[in-house]
Amino acid sequence: MPPVNPAFVPPATHTTRPDLAGTFGMAASTHWIATAVAQSVLERGGNAFDAATAGAFVLHVVEPHLNGPGGDMTAVFATAAMREPTVLVGQGPAPAGATPEHYRAEGLDLVPGSGALASTVPGTVDAWLLLLRDHGTWELADVLAPAIGYARDGHPIAPAVVRTITAVQDLFRDHWPTSAAQWLPGGAVPVPGDLVRNEALASVLERLLAAGEGAGNRTGRIDAARTEWAEGLVAQTIDRFVREPHRHASGTDHAGVIRASDLGAFRASYEPATTAEFRGCTIAKTGPWGQGPALLQTLRLLEPLDDALLDPSTELGAHTIVEAQKLALADREAFYGDGDVPLDVLLSDDYTDARRALIGERASAELRPGTVRGAEHVLPPLRTSYAGAGADGVGEPTVQVARPSDRVPVVPVEDRGEPFVAPDGETRGDTCHIDVVDRWGNIISATPSGGWLQSSPTIPGLGFCLGTRLQMTWLEEGTASTLRPGERPRTTLTPTLVLRDGEPVAALGSPGGDQQDQWQLLFLLRWIVGGYSPQQAIDAPALHTTSFPGSFWPRTWEPAGLVVEDRLGDDVIAGLEARGHVVTRAGDWSLGRISCVTREPSTGVLGAAANSRGAQGYAAGR
C-alpha cells in the first residue's frame, strides 16, 4: 500500500473494521447475512457472479426497506476472460400508460414519491437471472436456496427495518392493509430480532424454479424462469392489483398504470461502461441514463488540481470538491436522461477547463449548468419547498438534525445511508449494495434498489411491492428527463469499477440516493490520491452538497446547502460557513455506507472493506 500523501490529513490510526486481505475471494455488502451468503457460495466453488446473485436475492429478504423484487438494479462488472467493464442494465422503463398527460389529469404536478403511479417496470430479477445465465456457473435452484430459506423460515429483523415500519405503520393501517398484513404481524410493529417471514415471496421464487423443470439444460432453466417472471403469474397479479386506487405520497388515491404487457416487453441487457481517466486509473460507470457520469465529470474537473485541493478533510479541499460537484450535478439536471446526451462534450478537455474556471473562493448558491450547442433543454423547476409535501416524518435513521430555528424546511433535505421515510411513504436515499471478487479475477459492483416495503402497497400473493423510480422524471415538457413511456428514468443507482492499466482493481458503491457518487468521490480521492487504505477511506468524515434539485419527490433543493459529519471538525466547518456554505451538521457517524472489494493484479491479493455506520454492513473473505 502506498504511503499516505503528505498533502492530506493523516487518516485515523484506528479503523472501525479491518482491511481484509486474502487470495481466495471477497464479498462486501450492506447486510451481514447477504455478505455471508455470497462468501459461502465462493467457498463452495461458485464464482463472483453466482455469489453476487445469491447475495442479492437475500438482500430482497433481509433489507426489504431498501430493495425488493419489484425494484431495479444496475451493476458494473468484468470477467476473468473479458477485462473491459460492462454495465448490467436492470433499470426498467416507464410503462406505456405513464404519460405526463395522464398524471396531470389525475391532478398531479409531480410524479408521487410513493404509490404505483411511480412504478417503472421491475428490472432487478431479470437482470440478476441474465447475469447468472451468461457469467455464472451454478444452477438457479442452488443460487435461490438461501433467499427462499430466509423468506420461508424467517430471519431476525434488523433495527433499521423496524424503524422504517414504525414510520409508516399508520399509512399501512389506514390505507395499505395488504402491507399491514405483511409487516405488522398481529397488528404490531416487530421488535428488532424478531423472526419475520415472507412465505408469499418464497413461493414466487419457487415458482420460477418450477418453470424450468423439464428444460434441457442450465441455460434453458434460467430462461424459463425469466419468461415466467415477465409473462406469468407475477405480471398478471401486478396488473390486477394496481387497477385498484390506493393512497400515494400526494395524499390522494390513484390507480397504477403498469400492465402485464409492460413486464412482458422488458428484458435486462448489457452495455459498455462509460469511463474517464483520473490519476492513472480508469473509472467505469453507467451511461447518462443514470447519474454515474456526473462523478466522471467531477473527477475531470479535479484531475489537474494540486493534491492539497483534493483532501475532503480540509476547509479548502472540501470547498473545492463541493463546488466541482455542484457544476457536474447542474449538468446532470440539464443534460442527463434516457436519450441523446452529449457526453463527448461534457467530458472533453475544453468543456472541463471552462467549467473548472467557475470554481471560486465562495460557495455558489446558483444552479449553473454549462452550454452545449445543439443540446438545449428546459431546466426543471427549482423549489426550496413544496406545498404538496406531507407532514414531517421520522425516518431511518434519525433525520431530524439540528438546524437554525429560522430556516426549518418543509422536508429534510439531507439523505443518509438509509432512506428518509415520512409517514406517507415518501422515501429518500433508499438502496443497498453488494461487491464480490473471486480468485479467478471476476469482479462486480452492484446496487439493487426500489420496491422497498414503504414504496407502495404489498401485492397479495407476491409478498413484495412495486418501486417508485418514476419520481425521478419531470412532468414538464422539454427537460432531459421528462417522463416518456418506454424510457428509463434517470436513476440514482451508480456502482463503480476502478481499473489500472486495463485491469480491474476495485469494485465499490453506496446507498444514498443523490449522495451515492458524492460519497464514492470522497473514497476515490482518499484512496487514489491520499494513499488511504480502503477501510480508512470509508471511515473518514463524510460530507455532501444539497445544492441541486433532488431526484426524489418532492424534488426540492437547498441553495449552497452542505451536510457534514461533525467529525470534520469545528474549525473546518466554521471555515466552510465563512465561505457561504449553508451547513447542516449530521452527527459524527451518519453519512455514507460504502462497501468495496479490491484486487491487486500483480500479486492476486484480494481485499474488502465495509462501512460501520448503521451497524449493518459487513465484509468477509480470505
Side-chain angles (χ1 to χ4, degrees):
M1 191 173 73
V4 174
N5 189 330
F8 274 55
V9 172
T13 56
H14 172 79
T15 57
T16 60
R17 306 279 170 81
D19 278 289
L20 304 186
T23 56
F24 179 81
M26 295 282 171
S29 82
T30 48
H31 196 290
W32 65 88
I33 292 179
T35 297
V37 166
Q39 186 65 23
S40 76
V41 172
L42 296 179
E43 297 290 349
R44 289 177 286 158
N47 70 13
F49 307 117
D50 300 316
T53 303
F57 276 96
V58 167
L59 284 172
H60 291 166
V61 179
V62 300
E63 290 196 315
H65 63 313
L66 299 175
N67 80 138
D72 28 54
M73 67 84 73
T74 64
V76 187
F77 68 93
T79 72
M82 182 189 71
R83 309 312 276 160
E84 295 82 6
T86 299
V87 173
L88 174 62
V89 183
Q91 176 57 65
T99 65
E101 294 76 17
H102 177 82
Y103 289 73
R104 292 195 181 280
E106 294 281 311
L108 301 169
D109 60 358
L110 284 173
V111 178
S114 66
L117 270 181
S119 176
T120 56
V121 178
T124 188
V125 169
D126 191 65
W128 284 113
L129 296 184
L130 175 65
L131 181 76
L132 180 68
R133 185 196 72 181
D134 294 345
H135 299 292
T137 63
W138 273 27
E139 286 285 347
L140 180 59
D142 297 323
V143 167
L144 293 184
I148 292 171
Y150 282 117
R152 172 150 287 128
D153 301 330
H155 75 281
I157 192 168
V161 187
V162 171
R163 288 193 289 270
T164 299
I165 296 171
T166 300
V168 291
Q169 59 179 310
D170 290 339
L171 171 68
F172 286 3
R173 292 191 180 101
D174 297 341
H175 299 289
W176 294 0
T178 57
S179 295
Q182 171 61 43
W183 300 110
L184 300 173
V189 176
V191 175
D194 281 355
L195 282 181
V196 296
R197 297 173 173 83
N198 192 336
E199 295 189 22
L201 176 56
S203 296
V204 167
L205 298 179
E206 289 172 336
R207 190 179 186 91
L208 299 184
L209 298 179
E213 293 178 357
N217 54 34
R218 175 181 174 277
T219 296
R221 285 185 282 275
I222 296 175
D223 280 341
R226 296 178 69 198
T227 300
E228 170 62 28
W229 171 267
E231 302 176 13
L233 179 67
V234 169
Q236 297 160 12
T237 303
I238 289 172
D239 188 318
R240 288 193 301 270
F241 182 74
V242 301
R243 293 173 186 264
E244 186 69 26
H246 54 271
R247 183 57 48 92
H248 284 57
S250 55
T252 49
D253 292 351
H254 307 275
V257 295
I258 190 170
R259 297 292 180 258
S261 56
D262 294 310
L263 278 82
F266 173 78
R267 293 296 186 276
S269 61
Y270 305 112
E271 63 183 45
T274 302
T275 63
E277 302 301 310
F278 177 77
R279 299 294 183 97
C281 293
T282 301
I283 313 300
K285 304 292 289 183
T286 71
W289 49 268
Q291 69 170 324
L295 173 63
L296 304 182
Q297 285 192 250
T298 308
L299 290 169
R300 296 276 288 129
L301 289 166
L302 298 174
E303 163 90 25
L305 300 183
D306 291 342
D307 290 358
L309 296 176
L310 305 186
D311 183 358
S313 294
T314 67
E315 174 196 330
L316 185 56
H319 168 78
T320 303
I321 292 163
V322 166
E323 293 304 297
Q325 287 177 322
K326 291 179 188 178
L327 295 173
L329 289 166
D331 279 351
R332 185 191 78 167
E333 293 307 311
F335 301 112
Y336 287 22
D338 194 8
D340 186 15
V341 180
L343 267 188
D344 56 338
V345 176
L346 297 177
L347 293 172
S348 68
D349 290 343
D350 289 346
Y351 182 85
T352 302
D353 291 345
R355 297 286 282 161
R356 188 182 301 111
L358 296 177
I359 299 175
E361 297 297 318
R362 299 277 303 170
S364 171
E366 301 176 44
L367 189 72
R368 299 183 293 174
T371 301
V372 177
R373 181 177 299 176
E376 292 80 15
H377 298 292
V378 174
L379 280 176
L382 296 177
R383 304 183 180 101
T384 55
S385 62
Y386 180 64
D392 290 344
V394 294
E396 165 35 45
T398 305
V399 297
Q400 304 296 341
V401 299
R403 294 174 176 274
S405 59
D406 61 348
R407 63 172 193 89
V408 177
V410 173
V411 294
V413 297
E414 77 283 357
D415 293 337
R416 306 299 183 87
E418 295 201 50
F420 160 82
V421 184
D424 60 3
E426 177 206 337
T427 304
R428 298 182 176 195
D430 56 280
T431 304
C432 51
H433 189 77
I434 186 167
D435 306 297
V436 184
V437 62
D438 63 32
R439 63 189 184 275
W440 301 289
N442 299 300
I443 188 169
I444 182 170
S445 167
T447 308
S449 183
W452 45 90
L453 66 87
Q454 66 276 16
S455 65
S456 61
T458 299
I459 302 170
L462 301 184
F464 63 84
C465 58
L466 296 173
T468 55
R469 193 64 58 182
L470 278 189
Q471 67 183 290
M472 298 178 179
T473 62
W474 296 98
L475 299 182
E476 286 76 11
E477 290 298 328
T479 78
S481 53
T482 294
L483 172 62
R484 299 177 183 91
E487 291 191 3
R488 294 167 292 191
R490 189 200 66 216
T491 181
T492 53
L493 305 181
T494 179
T496 300
L497 201 65
V498 181
L499 300 91
R500 190 184 306 122
D501 299 325
E503 284 288 324
V505 295
L508 66 139
S510 174
D514 288 312
Q515 277 57 258
Q516 290 180 28
D517 271 337
Q518 296 199 58
W519 295 334
Q520 291 182 69
L521 174 66
L522 307 181
F523 175 95
L524 293 171
L525 293 174
R526 285 168 168 144
W527 180 55
I528 296 173
V529 183
Y532 286 31
S533 74
Q535 191 64 51
Q536 289 171 336
I538 288 173
D539 285 353
L543 69 155
H544 65 260
T545 177
T546 53
S547 189
F548 59 94
S551 294
F552 291 83
W553 189 92
R555 311 301 302 273
T556 55
W557 78 315
E558 185 174 24
L562 179 62
V563 184
V564 303
E565 286 186 326
D566 292 61
R567 291 184 297 127
L568 199 60
D570 291 341
D571 291 343
V572 172
I573 293 172
L576 292 169
E577 290 176 325
R579 289 177 179 268
H581 296 278
V582 181
V583 176
T584 296
R585 290 174 176 252
D588 283 340
W589 294 89
S590 57
L591 305 180
R593 279 170 65 225
I594 289 177
S595 64
C596 75
V597 295
T598 61
R599 180 177 184 270
E600 175 49 55
S602 63
T603 63
V605 171
L606 310 177
N611 172 63
S612 66
R613 298 168 179 88
Q616 195 162 300
Y618 227 80
R622 67 178 179 87

